[in-house]
């Protein structure tokens, strides 16, 4: 690591401030900023740093400008990368010191958790997450010898070093994500087996919506506590917010008045829905303020006192609303929650300190336990009039997770809403084809004027045509208007272009030639045939692929020790096919493929997902150094050496999905 960091940074002090992946991410931002105008000056930093997490979200441009001007009065001096890092660290410390509130954007929890560069952790958050783990994994047969974990110790960071706990926690958050048959669970794991578990964990975390751009398998081995805790916090948040959608909790339609509002509600991120639910319940109380965040707005515990009185009046304590001291009120609120039987992993101090992560978790627990919504409501009839396109929903999920995995400036919650200003699409294009975006004519958010959004989206379409996408009848305004079919068609072509370019760029294999779908198909069939199998794939829509056997043989061909054939079913019944499909996805992720498809995409032979799965396996295999390529007798450590760009833009191409 030090060697790599030293290439970019010569200052030893700076080298000690960053991990390798953090430095790489910041270098990408720096290069992008400088490319916009050919150079970067001290005076440019205040505006250009708006896209950086923490610094950009918790300080206004004017605040950044004033802070920088006080430190560096020569605003016309050109900035090199090391100077940029020093300014960033000082701004980051300034932002963290002066605000306890969450970042402005709705998904700050997801973004900030894994990107803090101060390398400090909250002991209170650690204790909270340990309590959650102790509660939800207490009955696990493998982990029970390690649980309960002592929240006041650092045992958590030792236990996660073999990767098993994190894999199990992902399955608690989103059941079925990881086929537990793929987890290495021997009592003593060798370094390669631990690395496999970490790779499986990181690729699976991306596949449920976590941001892991700044986390690598080495961080688990080195016990980087802030990164481990950041990932755990994201996984737990996903679990806690899982019911905050109309599919899981149709009673949420009670929050809106008509079908138009229902569609708007469906597009909101879960934390925004949670806030709306909280304010909906508070309207039934004397409390008149609007709660807009899980930090400063709840620090006095008054909103909590009224909320719990509405939801569970039988457990109320009159003293809660009369006591003057916020800390004492917070203690009474938690006692009320206890009487409700509501799990809570925060203290009165966490409430008055305004801890956004723990307060959000507390409110989510309250919602799960008692949401106060009507079990029978006439508004549910609105849902019957809305289009229910499971395929569109599945594809939206795939593209959303793929885009978020690239490390763009903003985390997106809904591709149909969050891509409409064109900015994230431009960032994604720049990741897929560096230098292709003309940033001089791009309009940076926030964008109030509609025609500025159209300008961005027109450039998105223009670049798509430059990349030879099929964009008949697609205009920039279609993206601004949120046209689902056309947005999905564009994103599919962008994802496909990404993986084909990655394969093309492996010049020692492609000799710089364009890679086609036929090349991928031929490669897969050749690998399986050379391994001695008779299986073959006629096309990416070959219905015989539904049993999963071909892909298991392909995975075994590229890494002979990857598949435990005693766990493979014949793939005859629907249940057997699903078991094989789940195993395929976990094995591919365990090797290092960053893929986002679901088992249904294999069992239903979703042509586009099958293509990206095959291409991802091909890309992983061809990236292995020649001397490390697995042979039939191989037990080498190449399996997850390519922790595959698990943290970089590239590997995520192997995602799945689509629509035309």
């Amino acid at each position: 690591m030090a060697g790599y960091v030293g290439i970019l940074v010569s200052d030893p002090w700076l080298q000690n401030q960053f991990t390798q992946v953090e430095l790489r991410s910041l270098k990408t931002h720096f290069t992008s900023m400088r490319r916009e105008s050919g150079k970067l000056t001290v005076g440019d930093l205040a505006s250009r740093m708006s896209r950086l997490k923490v610094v950009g979200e918790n300080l206004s441009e004017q605040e950044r400008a004033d802070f920088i001007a006080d430190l560096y009065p020569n605003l016309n001096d050109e900035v090199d990368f090391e100077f940029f890092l020093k300014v960033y660290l000082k701004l980051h410390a300034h932002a963290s010191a002066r605000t306890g509130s969450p970042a402005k954007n709705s998904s700050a929890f997801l973004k900030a958790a894994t990107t803090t560069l101060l390398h400090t952790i909250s002991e209170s958050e650690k204790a909270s997450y340990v309590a959650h783990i102790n509660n939800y994994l207490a009955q696990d047969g493998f982990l029970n010898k390690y649980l309960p974990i002592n929240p006041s110790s650092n045992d958590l960071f030792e236990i996660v070093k073999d990767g098993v706990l994190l894999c199990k926690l992902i399955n608690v958050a989103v059941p079925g994500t990881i086929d537990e048959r793929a987890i290495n669970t021997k009592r003593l794991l060798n370094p390669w087996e631990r690395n496999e578990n970490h790779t499986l964990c990181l690729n699976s975390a991306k596949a449920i919506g976590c941001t892991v751009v700044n986390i690598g398998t080495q961080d688990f081995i080195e016990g980087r506590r802030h990164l481990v805790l950041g990932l755990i916090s994201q996984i737990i948040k996903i679990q806690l917010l899982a019911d905050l959608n109309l599919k899981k909790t149709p009673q949420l339609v009670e929050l809106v008045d008509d079908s138009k509002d229902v569609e708007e509600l469906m597009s909101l991120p879960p934390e925004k829905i949670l806030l709306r639910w909280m304010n909906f319940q508070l309207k039934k109380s004397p409390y008149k303020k609007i709660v807009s965040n899980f930090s400063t707005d709840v620090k006095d515990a008054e909103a909590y006192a009224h909320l719990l009185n509405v939801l569970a009046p039988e457990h109320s304590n009159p003293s809660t609303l009369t006591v003057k001291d916020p800390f004492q009120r917070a203690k009474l609120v938690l006692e009320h929650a206890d009487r409700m039987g509501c799990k809570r992993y925060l203290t009165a101090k966490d409430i008055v300190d305004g801890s956004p992560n723990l307060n959000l978790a507390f409110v989510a627990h309250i919602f799960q336990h008692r949401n106060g919504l009507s079990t029978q409501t006439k508004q549910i009839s609105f849902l019957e009039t809305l289009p229910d396109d499971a395929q569109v929903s599945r594809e939206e999920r795939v593209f959303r997770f793929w885009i978020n995995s690239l490390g763009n400036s903003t985390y997106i919650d809904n591709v149909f809403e969050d891509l409409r200003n064109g900015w994230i699409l431009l960032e994604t294009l720049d990741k897929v084809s560096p230098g292709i975006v003309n940033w001089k004519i791009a309009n940076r958010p926030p964008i109030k004027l509609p025609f500025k959004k159209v300008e961005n989206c027109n450039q998105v379409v223009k670049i798509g045509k430059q990349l030879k996408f099929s964009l008949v009848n697609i205009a920039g305004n279609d993206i601004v208007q949120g046209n689902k079919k056309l947005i999905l068609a564009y994103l599919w072509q962008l994802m496909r272009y990404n993986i084909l370019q990655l394969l093309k760029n492996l010049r020692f294999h492609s000799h710089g030639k364009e890679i086609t779908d036929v090349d991928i198909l031929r490669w897969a069939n050749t690998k399986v045939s050379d391994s001695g199998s008779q299986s073959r794939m006629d096309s990416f829509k070959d219905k015989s692929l539904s049993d999963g056997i071909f892909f298991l043989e392909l995975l075994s061909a590229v890494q002979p020790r990857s598949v435990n054939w005693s766990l493979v079913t014949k793939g005859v019944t629907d249940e057997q096919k699903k078991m094989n499909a789940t195993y395929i996805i976990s094995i591919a992720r365990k090797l290092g493929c960053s893929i986002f498809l679901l088992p249904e995409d294999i069992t239903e032979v979703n042509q586009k997902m099958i293509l990206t799965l095959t291409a991802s396996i091909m890309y992983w295999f061809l990236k292995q150094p020649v001397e490390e390529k697995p042979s039939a007798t191989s037990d080498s450590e190449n399996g997850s050496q390519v922790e595959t760009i698990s943290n970089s833009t590239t590997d995520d191409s192997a995602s799945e999905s689509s629509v035309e």
Side-chain angles (χ1 to χ4, degrees):
M1 179 183 295
Y4 177 90
V5 173
I7 294 172
L8 295 177
V9 177
S10 58
D11 185 328
W13 180 81
L14 279 174
Q15 290 181 23
N16 290 329
Q17 303 306 306
F18 302 93
T19 66
Q20 176 182 349
V21 286
E22 288 167 347
L23 198 67
R24 185 172 60 199
S25 176
L26 284 168
K27 180 67 173 180
T28 300
H29 281 296
F30 172 76
T31 303
S32 177
M33 291 176 191
R34 191 169 58 180
R35 188 168 55 230
E36 289 181 28
S37 56
K39 67 175 184 177
L40 189 65
T41 66
V42 174
D44 295 328
L45 291 176
S47 61
R48 302 280 174 84
M49 283 185 160
S50 63
R51 69 188 69 168
L52 294 177
K53 305 173 180 77
V54 181
V55 167
E57 295 170 342
N58 293 317
L59 294 173
S60 69
E61 183 173 334
Q62 189 59 51
E63 288 170 333
R64 291 193 298 273
D66 292 344
F67 184 80
I68 292 171
D70 286 343
L71 294 172
Y72 312 105
N74 298 323
L75 299 182
N76 292 323
D77 286 356
E78 193 162 345
V79 174
D80 64 14
F81 184 49
E82 291 195 7
F83 184 88
F84 167 79
L85 291 176
K86 291 173 183 176
V87 175
Y88 179 82
L89 283 172
K90 289 179 180 179
L91 277 171
H92 193 292
H94 178 57
S96 300
R98 67 182 290 276
T99 178
S101 60
K104 296 172 186 174
N105 291 336
S106 60
S107 294
F109 185 106
L110 285 174
K111 294 182 293 186
T114 59
T115 53
T116 172
L117 300 181
L118 300 183
H119 297 182
T120 58
I121 67 168
S122 161
E123 289 296 325
S124 186
E125 285 191 22
K126 183 188 73 174
S128 169
Y129 302 149
V130 165
H132 184 96
I133 289 167
N134 286 340
N135 181 53
Y136 282 93
L137 290 173
Q139 304 305 315
D140 184 86
F142 179 82
L143 293 173
N144 58 15
K145 56 180 172 289
Y146 304 111
L147 302 180
I149 301 169
N150 180 354
S152 63
S153 72
N154 286 321
D155 292 351
L156 171 67
F157 305 110
E158 290 300 315
I159 294 172
V160 300
K161 285 185 176 180
D162 67 6
V164 177
L165 185 144
L166 292 174
C167 287
K168 300 268 190 177
L169 191 62
I170 286 172
N171 269 357
V172 169
V174 184
T177 299
I178 296 176
D179 188 326
E180 297 202 2
R181 297 174 296 175
I183 304 173
N184 296 322
T185 54
K186 292 192 312 190
R187 184 170 183 81
L188 289 175
L189 300 178
N190 62 41
W192 186 75
E193 290 168 328
R194 285 199 299 271
N195 196 56
E196 274 194 325
N197 281 349
H198 296 150
T199 304
L200 173 60
C201 164
L202 288 175
N203 284 322
S204 300
K206 281 192 284 189
I208 65 170
C210 295
T211 300
V212 298
V213 176
N214 289 334
I215 308 178
T217 59
Q218 190 67 23
D219 294 312
F220 295 115
I221 296 167
E222 295 176 0
R224 293 188 178 274
R225 298 185 302 165
H226 67 294
L227 294 175
V228 171
L229 210 61
L231 179 58
I232 289 173
S233 70
Q234 292 187 73
I235 296 169
I236 290 175
K237 182 197 175 190
I238 288 168
Q239 176 192 344
L240 295 178
L241 298 181
D243 292 341
L244 279 149
N245 59 73
L246 287 170
K247 185 175 181 181
K248 293 281 188 70
T249 312
Q251 294 80 14
L252 283 166
V253 295
E254 193 176 342
L255 307 186
V256 299
D257 296 322
D258 56 42
S259 57
K260 183 178 179 181
D261 290 336
V262 171
E263 291 196 60
E264 179 197 349
L265 185 69
M266 291 172 72
S267 70
L268 290 176
E271 48 268 69
K272 290 288 187 185
I273 295 177
L274 190 62
L275 281 170
R276 183 175 287 200
W277 166 80
M278 186 173 180
N279 285 308
F280 173 81
Q281 299 295 355
L282 286 173
K283 286 180 182 177
K284 303 173 185 177
S285 76
Y287 192 75
K288 299 304 178 188
K289 298 177 186 176
I290 299 295
V291 177
S292 61
N293 60 60
F294 294 109
S295 181
T296 54
D297 288 1
V298 294
K299 288 173 73 169
D300 61 9
E302 284 188 31
Y304 284 153
H306 287 285
L307 176 67
L308 296 187
N309 280 350
V310 169
L311 297 175
E314 71 276 18
H315 298 301
S316 64
N317 180 342
S319 301
T320 309
L321 292 173
T322 58
V323 69
K324 300 299 182 185
D325 179 32
F327 183 78
Q328 293 302 320
R329 186 183 304 116
K331 288 176 66 176
L332 292 172
V333 162
L334 294 179
E335 289 173 7
H336 190 162
D338 283 340
R339 291 193 294 274
M340 290 170 60
C342 183
K343 295 185 183 70
R344 46 102 172 172
Y345 304 122
L346 82 172
T347 64
K349 184 177 185 300
D350 296 325
I351 293 177
V352 298
D353 284 350
S355 170
N357 292 354
L358 297 184
N359 277 295
L360 182 147
F362 180 50
V363 178
H365 273 298
I366 294 170
F367 177 86
Q368 284 185 340
H369 187 75
R370 187 178 298 196
N371 61 40
L373 298 173
S374 173
T375 54
Q376 292 184 339
T377 172
K378 62 181 180 181
Q379 285 114 316
I380 292 181
S381 62
F382 286 148
L383 296 179
E384 299 169 2
T385 67
L386 297 174
D388 179 23
D389 193 331
Q391 185 61 30
V392 167
S393 176
R394 236 157 67 186
E395 289 168 353
E396 186 278 333
R397 167 194 171 277
V398 166
F399 293 130
R400 171 164 35 97
F401 292 163
W402 173 62
I403 290 171
N404 284 334
S405 73
L406 301 181
N408 290 320
S409 64
T410 304
Y411 186 93
I412 65 170
D413 295 289
N414 184 301
V415 299
F416 305 126
E417 292 297 322
D418 298 343
L419 300 184
R420 289 170 62 176
N421 65 17
W423 183 261
I424 295 297
L425 281 171
L426 290 172
E427 286 192 328
T428 303
L429 284 162
D430 198 52
K431 292 280 176 65
V432 170
S433 184
I436 201 166
V437 176
N438 183 350
W439 291 109
K440 293 180 181 178
I441 63 171
N443 302 294
R444 182 185 292 109
I447 305 173
K448 295 181 180 179
L449 298 175
F451 78 90
K452 294 288 186 181
K453 299 178 183 179
V454 175
E455 286 178 352
N456 280 354
C457 293
N458 282 342
Q459 187 179 179
V460 168
V461 173
K462 181 180 178 182
I463 293 172
K465 291 177 179 177
Q466 188 178 331
L467 298 176
K468 297 182 170 56
F469 293 178
S470 175
L471 298 176
V472 180
N473 298 324
I474 296 183
N477 195 51
D478 292 314
I479 299 173
V480 176
Q481 296 300 320
N483 185 309
K484 295 183 179 181
K485 182 178 179 181
L486 298 183
I487 289 173
L488 291 175
Y490 189 98
L491 291 176
W492 158 243
Q493 293 180 83
L494 180 57
M495 180 183 285
R496 179 177 174 276
Y497 174 83
N498 189 18
I499 186 62
L500 294 180
Q501 284 301 111
L502 291 172
L503 290 169
K504 176 187 174 182
N505 290 339
L506 297 174
R507 294 187 182 279
F508 54 95
H509 292 292
S510 70
H511 307 294
K513 296 178 182 178
E514 296 294 334
I515 299 293
T516 67
D517 296 6
V518 173
D519 294 322
I520 298 170
L521 184 70
R522 185 184 299 120
W523 173 85
N525 280 324
T526 300
K527 290 304 297 180
V528 171
S529 175
D530 288 351
S531 72
S533 171
Q534 300 300 311
S535 296
R536 77 174 275 106
M537 170 169 55
D538 291 333
S539 70
F540 295 115
K541 54 185 178 182
D542 185 341
K543 293 300 181 185
S544 69
L545 298 172
S546 66
D547 63 11
I549 301 299
F550 178 86
F551 286 109
L552 288 164
E553 291 184 335
L554 177 60
L555 288 164
S556 184
V558 300
Q559 175 49 273
R561 65 181 299 281
S562 64
V563 177
N564 182 343
W565 286 99
S566 68
L567 302 176
V568 175
T569 75
K570 294 180 179 179
V572 176
T573 66
D574 289 345
E575 182 59 30
Q576 289 177 338
K577 289 178 179 180
K578 185 173 182 179
M579 288 178 68
N580 283 352
T582 304
Y583 191 48
I584 289 165
I585 292 170
S586 290
I587 291 298
R589 287 177 180 153
K590 183 177 175 180
L591 285 181
C593 299
S594 180
I595 49 178
F596 301 89
L597 75 168
L598 295 171
E600 294 86 337
D601 292 313
I602 297 176
T603 59
E604 296 171 10
V605 193
N606 180 324
Q607 180 180 356
K608 294 167 185 172
M609 299 307 95
I610 295 294
L611 167 61
T612 51
L613 172 62
T614 312
S616 180
I617 297 170
M618 178 181 179
Y619 178 68
W620 175 82
F621 176 76
L622 294 182
K623 273 192 66 70
Q624 307 306 301
V626 174
E627 64 274 13
E628 292 186 11
K629 289 275 177 65
S631 63
T633 58
S634 169
D635 193 29
S636 73
E637 297 188 3
N638 82 280
S640 29
Q641 298 274 333
V642 187
E643 178 239 327
T644 34
I645 321 182
S646 179
N647 310 312
S648 81
T649 349
T650 54
D651 188 29
D652 296 337
S653 59
S655 99
E656 41 143 353
S657 106
S658 64
V659 147
E660 280 182 344

